[in-house]
Amino acid sequence: MKPVIFQPDALIATATGNPVPAPLGEPISIVRSASLTSSARATNRVGVWECSPGRWRRQIVQAEFCYFLEGRATFTPDVGEPIEITAGDVVHFPERSLGVWDIHEASRKIFMVFDEEPSA
């Protein structure tokens, strides 16, 4: 297997902000990502995510690993206690970790989403 070098600046350097998929306020997010196919049926996606302060519902059902570079946020899972996240934190979201994001300060993270269905 050949190693992959991830260079976030090379990913869609001209990305513009768009509302998050299920906003509960007025946050704006930017995602720069690349898919890494691991088999004919599954794809892992890596990237950089940025979001302005606001509130929105997390709808990703796949497992995710991320490292927060900047900002401060609270994630309140549908089941469980709220999680306070600040710059420097590493977070793993197991599959089906649904809940609500409260972004208190503009935030940026590097992420990897595991086992997405490949896009057609």
Side-chain angles (χ1 to χ4, degrees):
M1 177 181 272
K2 180 180 176 183
V4 175
I5 298 171
F6 176 58
Q7 298 174 321
D9 293 338
L11 298 173
I12 314 172
T14 59
T16 58
N18 293 308
V20 293
L24 302 173
E26 297 183 21
I28 301 294
S29 67
I30 296 173
V31 176
R32 298 175 191 96
S33 65
S35 295
L36 306 171
T37 303
S38 59
S39 73
R41 67 168 195 64
T43 299
N44 297 325
R45 186 165 48 101
V46 296
V48 177
W49 170 88
E50 298 176 77
C51 191
S52 66
R55 194 166 201 238
W56 57 280
R57 181 147 185 82
R58 182 177 196 271
Q59 298 182 2
I60 298 171
V61 296
Q62 296 83 7
E64 177 184 1
F65 173 83
C66 53
Y67 173 71
F68 279 77
L69 300 166
E70 297 177 8
R72 186 173 61 84
T74 303
F75 178 71
T76 305
D78 289 346
V79 177
E81 297 296 314
I83 302 164
E84 299 296 325
I85 302 168
T86 59
D89 288 346
V90 174
V91 182
H92 175 260
F93 293 96
E95 290 181 354
R96 293 177 284 288
S97 296
L98 304 178
V100 174
W101 277 104
D102 286 295
I103 308 298
H104 307 296
E105 296 174 0
S107 296
R108 183 182 332 180
K109 69 178 180 179
I110 297 170
F111 69 88
M112 183 170 198
V113 175
F114 300 94
D115 295 329
E116 287 188 323
E117 291 297 319
S119 51

